[in-house]
Amino acid sequence: MSSDHIALAVHGGAGVMKNISEERKEMINQKVSKTLIKGYQMLENGASSMDVVEFVVSEFEDSPLFNAGKGSVYNSDEIQEMDASIMNGRDRSAGAVASVKKVKNPIKLARKVSEKTNHIMLVGDGAEEFAKSIGEIIVDQDYFYSERNLKRLRKIKANAKLTYKSIVQDRIGTVGAVALDLNGDLAAATSTGGMTNKMPGRVGDSPIIGSGTWAQNGVCAVSTTGHGEFFIKYQVAREVCVRMEYQDKTISESSEEILNELKTINALGGLIAIDKEGNIAMPFNTDGMIRGSISQKNDVNVEIY
Ligand code: GLY
């Protein structure tokens, strides 16, 4: 199968954006635009959707601007534990890692789990041992140090009145990408530091195939961001494709409907999705979502609100 409609969409998390300075917003805008254009050029030059979503997510993991990789938020023990997953729509092969602490690019490791093991998910020490054995870059935890994120954790811990919901609403990070390549192959990837003040060992939706990430050729590819516990319960990424496949919904109808339903139970977040023709949907039920898209149907589009 081949496609005339290459397309790429990315996100850098959903949440309340009003506390982000204009300077930081500009830096985010520039990083998202630059990465999007580079990723799209890769697609134009024949790169696979898997290579492109891995590239985009690893670029965001290397930036302190997003809650993934270098910019990951702290758990209640003041340690970053990261989760990531990737899925290939061509054959549903998938890889995921959870609760890794020293892997520079969890998304690269997730792809290696998919391609070099018989498993789909590795966690904690086992994932890090595997990373070392295949030469993935391991870093000291100092690499992830962030005064900003540490201050935020300590503020939350000092304010007993803050509910989990208000913490979620205030800042939901997570990064992701979905792509359609010239072969008609869809792919999706998601990476996160999770949620500030999470319990050590807590795993959210991002590494869960069907919740945070889903790709299915001929239907759609999805990456989500939001309050992970709800996104697991409602299997949000897969649900977008299910409603398209079995209820003949368009990608916009399906994904907006789900986000609206989640809002009624105070499940906050957003998603990016691409269908087999390169149509893109990027709905969210929060104040804003860092997002960008580019396709033959639409020029570069980067937005925060
Ligand atoms: N959606 C990211 C998380 O809940 O960990």
Side-chain angles (χ1 to χ4, degrees):
M1 190 163 79
S2 68
S3 173
D4 297 329
H5 303 294
I6 57 171
L8 175 63
V10 307
H11 71 78
V16 173
M17 303 294 167
K18 67 177 189 299
N19 299 332
I20 305 178
S21 69
E22 288 309 312
E23 190 191 1
R24 197 171 169 92
K25 278 182 200 155
E26 186 48 36
M27 287 194 290
I28 290 171
N29 203 308
Q30 280 185 20
K31 181 71 191 169
V32 172
S33 304
K34 211 171 133 193
T35 310
L36 199 53
I37 290 167
K38 179 81 201 301
Y40 193 73
Q41 283 168 347
M42 287 170 70
L43 286 173
E44 284 181 315
N45 292 332
S48 70
S49 51
M50 284 290 280
D51 283 348
V52 172
V53 295
E54 180 187 333
F55 162 77
V56 168
V57 170
S58 65
E59 280 288 307
F60 290 169
E61 285 177 340
D62 288 344
S63 164
L65 294 169
F66 308 99
N67 174 16
K70 188 160 178 55
S72 291
V73 298
Y74 288 91
N75 71 14
S76 58
D77 280 352
E78 300 195 351
I79 290 175
Q80 291 103 331
E81 291 182 321
M82 297 163 285
D83 308 329
S85 67
I86 188 164
M87 185 168 187
N88 188 341
R90 190 196 310 184
D91 58 1
R92 296 200 190 193
S93 56
V97 294
S99 289
V100 291
K101 299 183 189 124
K102 293 182 189 160
V103 177
K104 179 169 168 281
N105 289 108
I107 197 64
K108 292 187 180 178
L109 186 59
R111 184 160 180 193
K112 297 279 178 17
V113 172
S114 166
E115 294 179 355
K116 288 186 182 287
T117 78
N118 293 320
H119 306 305
I120 288 189
M121 183 185 282
L122 293 179
V123 305
D125 292 345
E128 284 177 351
E129 284 307 313
F130 172 62
K132 281 182 210 154
S133 76
I134 56 165
E136 273 300 317
I137 301 175
I138 301 291
V139 288
D140 281 346
Q141 280 188 275
D142 289 353
Y143 169 81
F144 301 103
Y145 175 78
S146 158
E147 192 184 336
R148 189 172 190 266
N149 288 342
L150 202 50
K151 271 191 187 154
R152 182 174 154 67
L153 170 72
R154 290 178 180 165
K155 192 172 149 198
I156 287 170
K157 287 178 94 166
N159 187 347
K161 284 199 199 118
L162 276 181
T163 60
Y164 201 56
K165 188 179 151 214
S166 69
I167 296 167
V168 172
Q169 253 172 331
D170 185 36
R171 180 140 172 253
I172 305 167
T174 303
V175 305
V178 289
L180 172 66
D181 66 25
L182 283 169
N183 284 324
D185 289 329
L186 288 159
T190 310
S191 181
T192 191
M195 293 163 69
T196 299
N197 203 29
K198 66 184 180 182
M199 286 175 69
R202 177 263 187 191
V203 174
D205 59 320
S206 304
I208 309 289
I209 299 300
S211 301
T213 300
W214 184 259
Q216 183 179 350
N217 272 16
V219 188
C220 71
V222 182
S223 169
T224 70
T225 167
H227 193 160
E229 281 71 9
F230 286 102
F231 280 66
I232 294 172
K233 283 198 280 190
Y234 288 85
Q235 285 285 290
V236 174
R238 167 90 172 118
E239 184 72 19
V240 173
C241 291
V242 166
R243 292 184 192 198
M244 293 175 69
E245 198 176 3
Y246 299 115
Q247 297 181 344
D248 275 340
K249 298 224 156 94
T250 66
I251 196 147
S252 299
E253 287 166 352
S254 176
S255 48
E256 277 164 27
E257 195 176 87
I258 294 161
L259 264 293
N260 288 339
E261 285 168 20
L262 289 172
K263 177 101 179 174
T264 64
I265 51 163
N266 282 322
L268 301 176
L271 62 86
I272 53 171
I274 289 188
D275 72 11
K276 63 179 178 191
E277 277 150 16
N279 296 304
I280 292 170
M282 301 191 288
F284 51 95
N285 63 21
T286 49
D287 170 55
M289 179 169 83
I290 298 163
R291 62 200 183 281
S293 66
I294 178 167
S295 72
Q296 278 142 319
K297 298 179 183 188
N298 300 99
D299 291 336
V300 183
N301 163 39
V302 177
E303 288 177 287
I304 289 185
Y305 289 101

